[in-house]
Amino acid sequence: MGSSVRKGKAVLPAEQAARPCSPRRMQPHRAATEAYHHAAQNANNGQAITASCKNKDTDLQFKIQAYIDKNTVMIFSNTACSLSAKVKELFKSMSVPYFSLELDQTEDGQKLQDALYELTMETSVPIVFVQQKQIGDYDKTLKAHKEGKIQKLLETKGHDHIQDSYDYDLIVIGGGSGGLAASKEAAKYGKKVMVLDYVTPTPQGTRWGLGGTCVNVGCIPKKLMHQAALLGQAVQDSRKFGWQFEEKVKHSWETMTEAVQNYIGSLNWGYRVSLREKKVTYENAYGEFVGPHTIKATNNKGKEKFYTAEKFLIATGERPRYLGVPGDKEYCISSDDLFSLPYCPGKTLVVGASYVALECAGFLAGLGLDVTVMVRSILLRGFDQEMANKIGEHMEEHGIKFIKQFVPTKIEQIEEGTPGKLKVIAQSTDGREITEGEYNTVLLAVGRDACTRTIGLDKVGVKINERSGKIPVSDEEQTNVPYIYAIGDVLEGKLELTPVAIQAGRLLARRLYAGATLKCDYVNVPTTVFTPLEYGACGFSEETALEKFGEENIEVYHSYFWPLEWTIPSRDNNKCYAKIICNIQDNERVIGFHVLGPNAGEVTQGFSAAIKCGLTKVQLDNTIGIHPVCAEVFTTLSVTKRSGGNILQSGC
C-alpha cells in the first residue's frame, strides 16, 4: 500500500510504517508542485466521481474535483512515497502526460487529504484518475493497466481532452531562432502552438522585430558589417592586382546600415509569414508566468491576456550587461544599438574583450574609424588563449589600440550630437592608476545576462542559478518543473550559439510530439569569431585538453600559412595559423581544431563533421588536400609543439 490518507486510522502495514511515506509526517509548505511528462496518447478506466459526494469540506472537494476535471490523468501524490513515484513512472513509460499534486508540499495538504478520503474512500496515495474516472491506488492502477482498461479509456476519448484542457499544447516564450524553430516543428505534428515575443527597448530606445538577437542585433548584421570591412581591404588589395581608379574610396555608414536594416526587415516579415503558414499563433507580447500552466501576455500598450498550456518552452535569450557606473546607460550604447545606429559612431571606445567586443572593434576599424578596446583581463575568455592572443596582436598591428587591465568608472557627456563627445574615466584593475579619454561613442560589450528574472519563474517554481540567472536543465532540456522546458542562451553550462538553440528546439519538439528519442549533442560544436582575422574552432582548447588529459597524452600539431590571395598584396605573412590537438591515448583522435585565417567559418564547418565522426591524425594525413586553398594546411601538418620545430611559411 501507499501513504496514508484517512484521518486517524492506521493504514500502513507494519513493514512500511517506518518509511517516510506518510503525508501526515510531512509539514506542508509553499504551493503545489506539478509534474507533466511527454506524451502522445492517453488511457484508463474506473469509477466515476460525481459532484453529489457529500462532505462538510465542500470547497476542498470542489478544488479536488477541479483538478480531476482539468486533467486527463490526475495523480494525487506524495514526494516521499515510492509507490507514488512508481505510478508516475508507469504513465511515463506509456508516454502519457499526467498532472500530479504533491500533497506533502501543498499549503492545505492535510485538509485535502481528509477531503480526498471522504470523496474517494481511498486510504493511501497515490490516488489516480483517468478521464475523470477514479482508478485508485497503485495496485489498482497497475491492475487496470495490465487489463488494458487505462489504454481503452484514453483511446475512447482520444487526444481531444488534452487539447481542450488548455488553450495551447505548447507556448513558447521568446521569438528568437530557437523558439521559432521549436514552435514550427511542434506545429508540424498537429500541435496548437503560440509564440510570445517582446523586445524591451534598450536604454537608448532601440527595439526590433521578430527573430531574436541573431537576426536583429547579432550574427546577421555583424557578419554583414564584417563583410563591409573586408570589402574595404579588398579594394586596397585590388590595386596590386591591376585595378586602377582615381576617385578616393570612402565608406557611407548610413548607406550600409540602411541596407542591413532593410534585409533584416525582410527576415522579420518572413518569420511572421512562416508562423502563419505553419498555423502558429504569434503575439507581440511580454510573457510572464502567473501560476501553474498559466501565463500572462502584456502587449506594448499594457493590455493583458492570460493563456494556459500543457507545456511551455523558455527561449528568452540574453541581453547586454551594463557596467553599473555613472553614465553607462545614459551615454553608452551596446550591440543592441550599434547595428541600427543612424549616424557614424566616429572615434569609438569598445569596453570588453568578448567576441562581441572584438568583432565590433574589428569591423569598425575596418571601416576606417579610430577604435580603442579597453580590456579588464584576458581576451576571449573560454576560447583557446593562444588563438585569442594572436587575434589581439593582429588587431593591434592593424591600428586598433588596446588599454589593458582597466575598467571605466564614469562616463560623462562633453558635447551633445550625433555623435557627440564623451569623456571616459577608467581605473586600473589594481586600483593604482586612473586614465581619461575622449570618444564620440562608447560601446559596451562586457557580457550578457539571461532574460529569466522577470518572467515569473518563481511563481511556478522553476529553479535558476541565482548568480547568473541561467536555468539548469536535464539532458532533455527539461527544467525542475516537468512541464516547463528551456533552450538556447538561458541554459546553464551550454554553448550560447544560434545553431545550438535551433537544433535543441527542433529535437525537443520531436521528442515531445513525434516519439523521437534523439537529444541535442552539445559536444564538438563548431563556432567562428568574425574578427578581422577570423577564428574558427571545434572541440577542446589547448588549455582545457592539457588539463583534462595531461600533457603527456596530448600532441599538438601546428603551422602558420599564407593565403595565396594575400601574397600579391604582400600582407599578413605568417599571421594565419592552424592547430589541431590530438589525444595520444585514443589513436591520436582529433579533439581540438583551431584556425586563424580568411573564411575560417567555412573551413571549420567542414572539418567539424569529420571530428564528429572521430577523425584521427592518420585519417587527416591520408586526406588529399585541395590546392591552393587555406584548408589544405590541415592535411600536411607535421610539426608538433613538443618538437619545437619551425612552422613559419615563405610561400603557398
Side-chain angles (χ1 to χ4, degrees):
M1 297 178 68
S3 301
S4 168
V5 170
R6 187 176 179 184
K7 188 174 182 180
K9 298 288 184 179
V11 295
L12 285 175
E15 65 271 17
Q16 292 189 19
R19 296 182 186 177
C21 237
S22 172
R24 301 192 177 283
R25 299 200 192 105
M26 309 293 290
Q27 292 300 316
H29 59 82
R30 288 215 323 151
T33 57
E34 293 132 5
Y36 230 101
H37 286 283
H38 20 298
Q41 304 144 333
N42 301 341
N44 286 28
N45 203 334
Q47 300 297 314
I49 293 293
T50 68
S52 63
C53 295
K54 295 180 180 180
N55 190 306
K56 57 184 178 181
D57 295 319
T58 306
D59 289 344
L60 289 173
Q61 288 194 6
F62 278 138
K63 186 175 183 178
I64 291 169
Q65 192 68 50
Y67 278 115
I68 296 168
D69 291 343
K70 187 73 173 175
N71 297 286
T72 302
V73 176
M74 180 67 211
I75 304 173
F76 294 94
S77 177
N78 182 315
T79 58
C81 177
S82 61
L83 295 181
S84 293
K86 286 182 179 179
V87 84
K88 294 172 192 174
E89 285 299 318
L90 173 63
F91 284 103
K92 187 176 180 181
S93 70
M94 297 165 63
S95 294
V96 173
Y98 63 80
F99 182 102
S100 80
L101 182 68
E102 307 300 340
L103 296 173
D104 59 317
Q105 295 194 6
T106 306
E107 190 173 349
D108 52 358
Q110 188 63 63
K111 293 179 181 179
L112 282 171
Q113 293 165 30
D114 297 339
L116 263 173
Y117 171 70
E118 298 295 335
L119 191 65
T120 68
M121 300 307 292
E122 292 287 348
T123 58
S124 63
V125 293
I127 302 173
V128 177
F129 293 81
V130 177
Q131 301 285 34
Q132 295 75 56
K133 304 293 184 182
Q134 179 180 340
I135 303 301
D137 62 13
Y138 172 74
D139 290 334
K140 293 174 183 175
T141 303
L142 186 62
K143 182 173 184 290
H145 170 59
K146 290 180 178 178
E147 293 175 352
K149 293 180 179 179
I150 290 178
Q151 193 64 32
K152 185 177 179 181
L153 248 187
L154 291 168
E155 289 173 352
T156 300
K157 292 193 176 182
H159 220 51
D160 292 341
H161 182 76
I162 292 181
Q163 295 180 351
D164 292 342
S165 297
Y166 301 102
D167 299 320
Y168 291 91
D169 293 299
L170 176 68
I171 291 180
V172 179
I173 311 169
S177 301
L180 293 178
S183 67
K184 289 186 284 188
E185 192 71 19
K188 190 167 77 174
Y189 302 112
K191 298 303 168 184
K192 189 178 181 183
V193 183
M194 167 181 270
V195 171
L196 296 175
D197 186 63
Y198 183 84
V199 178
T200 302
T202 72
Q204 300 300 323
T206 307
R207 62 173 74 217
W208 50 88
L210 182 63
T213 295
C214 174
V215 168
N216 293 282
V217 290
C219 320
I220 298 300
K222 175 268 305 288
K223 179 78 182 297
L224 291 173
M225 292 191 178
H226 171 66
Q227 174 66 10
L230 293 181
L231 289 172
Q233 180 66 62
V235 168
Q236 295 179 39
D237 288 352
S238 69
R239 293 183 185 273
K240 294 287 187 178
F241 284 91
W243 288 95
Q244 299 176 8
F245 41 90
E246 300 302 325
E247 67 276 13
K248 183 179 179 181
V249 177
K250 60 180 182 178
H251 181 264
S252 168
W253 176 271
E254 291 77 11
T255 300
M256 177 185 70
T257 53
E258 182 182 3
V260 169
Q261 290 305 310
N262 285 342
Y263 177 65
I264 290 172
S266 72
L267 295 178
N268 298 148
W269 175 251
Y271 288 134
R272 297 187 68 162
V273 170
S274 179
L275 290 179
R276 192 182 308 124
E277 289 175 346
K278 297 288 194 302
K279 294 182 173 56
V280 174
T281 302
Y282 162 64
E283 281 205 20
N284 181 206
Y286 190 89
E288 180 183 355
F289 287 100
V290 293
H293 292 274
T294 308
I295 199 163
K296 176 176 69 176
T298 308
N299 68 16
N300 58 6
K301 295 181 180 178
K303 184 177 180 181
E304 298 178 351
K305 294 180 181 178
F306 295 84
Y307 301 100
T308 61
E310 178 190 353
K311 293 181 176 65
F312 291 84
L313 176 61
I314 301 166
T316 48
E318 297 179 306
R319 295 292 291 271
R321 185 179 306 145
Y322 284 79
L323 293 168
V325 302
D328 63 343
K329 291 186 178 179
E330 293 87 347
Y331 307 122
C332 300
I333 66 170
S334 72
S335 57
D336 282 357
D337 306 295
L338 178 64
F339 302 112
S340 59
L341 200 66
Y343 55 85
C344 180
K347 182 181 179 182
T348 302
L349 174 68
V350 178
V351 182
S354 63
Y355 70 89
V356 175
L358 299 188
E359 288 176 336
C360 292
F363 71 68
L364 289 174
L367 298 177
L369 303 184
D370 183 342
V371 178
T372 302
V373 180
M374 185 174 287
V375 180
R376 180 176 61 87
S377 55
I378 62 173
L379 302 180
L380 295 177
R381 186 178 299 278
F383 289 88
D384 187 286
Q385 282 303 289
E386 179 184 26
M387 311 302 279
N389 290 332
K390 288 182 184 298
I391 289 170
E393 291 167 6
H394 180 267
M395 292 175 71
E396 283 192 275
E397 290 170 1
H398 285 260
I400 298 174
K401 296 177 285 292
F402 281 80
I403 302 174
K404 297 182 179 179
Q405 297 186 322
F406 272 83
V407 291
T409 56
K410 188 176 184 180
I411 295 95
E412 299 175 347
Q413 186 179 63
I414 301 173
E415 295 177 10
E416 292 185 358
T418 52
K421 186 176 289 186
L422 304 172
K423 181 168 81 170
V424 177
I425 303 169
Q427 185 178 47
S428 62
T429 53
D430 61 11
R432 296 178 182 177
E433 296 180 58
I434 300 291
T435 185
E436 296 183 1
E438 293 184 1
Y439 305 91
N440 298 119
T441 299
V442 177
L443 171 65
L444 301 182
V446 293
R448 299 172 66 82
D449 293 321
C451 300
T452 58
R453 299 187 189 275
T454 59
I455 59 172
L457 296 184
D458 56 322
K459 294 182 177 68
V460 287
V462 173
K463 293 178 181 177
I464 65 172
N465 182 314
E466 288 302 329
R467 181 173 173 273
S468 67
K470 299 275 191 170
I471 303 174
V473 294
S474 69
D475 62 354
E476 294 188 338
E477 288 78 43
Q478 189 176 45
T479 72
N480 65 297
V481 177
Y483 66 88
I484 300 177
Y485 297 78
I487 58 169
D489 292 0
V490 298
L491 299 189
E492 183 177 51
K494 298 294 191 292
L495 294 166
E496 300 173 7
L497 297 168
T498 297
V500 172
I502 293 172
Q503 178 86 325
R506 286 175 178 161
L507 293 179
L508 173 62
R510 291 170 192 169
R511 291 196 305 274
L512 292 178
Y513 302 121
T517 58
L518 186 63
K519 302 172 187 177
C520 185
D521 185 357
Y522 293 93
V523 178
N524 288 330
V525 176
T527 188
T528 296
V529 180
F530 290 97
T531 39
L533 191 60
E534 295 177 12
Y535 167 36
C538 182
F540 287 97
S541 67
E542 187 174 346
E543 298 90 343
T544 307
L546 291 172
E547 180 181 345
K548 183 176 179 64
F549 300 102
E551 185 177 357
E552 69 280 4
N553 296 316
I554 293 297
E555 197 73 86
V556 178
Y557 295 86
H558 65 150
S559 178
Y560 286 106
F561 63 96
W562 197 11
L564 180 62
E565 298 86 345
W566 295 4
T567 57
I568 298 298
S570 193
R571 64 177 174 90
D572 292 320
N573 189 14
N574 286 309
K575 298 301 176 185
C576 297
Y577 181 69
K579 174 168 75 172
I580 61 168
I581 302 161
C582 299
N583 184 353
I584 296 172
Q585 298 299 318
D586 190 12
N587 197 30
E588 282 205 315
R589 184 168 60 88
V590 178
I591 60 172
F593 178 95
H594 303 271
V595 59
L596 280 177
N599 304 305
E602 310 293 346
V603 173
T604 305
Q605 183 70 81
F607 281 105
S608 66
I611 292 170
K612 274 284 190 188
C613 297
L615 177 69
T616 65
K617 181 61 168 62
V618 170
Q619 290 172 330
L620 204 51
D621 292 342
N622 288 336
T623 300
I624 297 174
I626 300 172
H627 187 70
V629 299
C630 293
E632 180 185 15
V633 67
F634 286 98
T635 67
T636 59
L637 291 175
S638 59
V639 180
T640 66
K641 274 197 174 182
R642 200 189 307 272
S643 72
N646 180 33
I647 59 169
L648 297 176
Q649 301 295 309
S650 58
C652 70

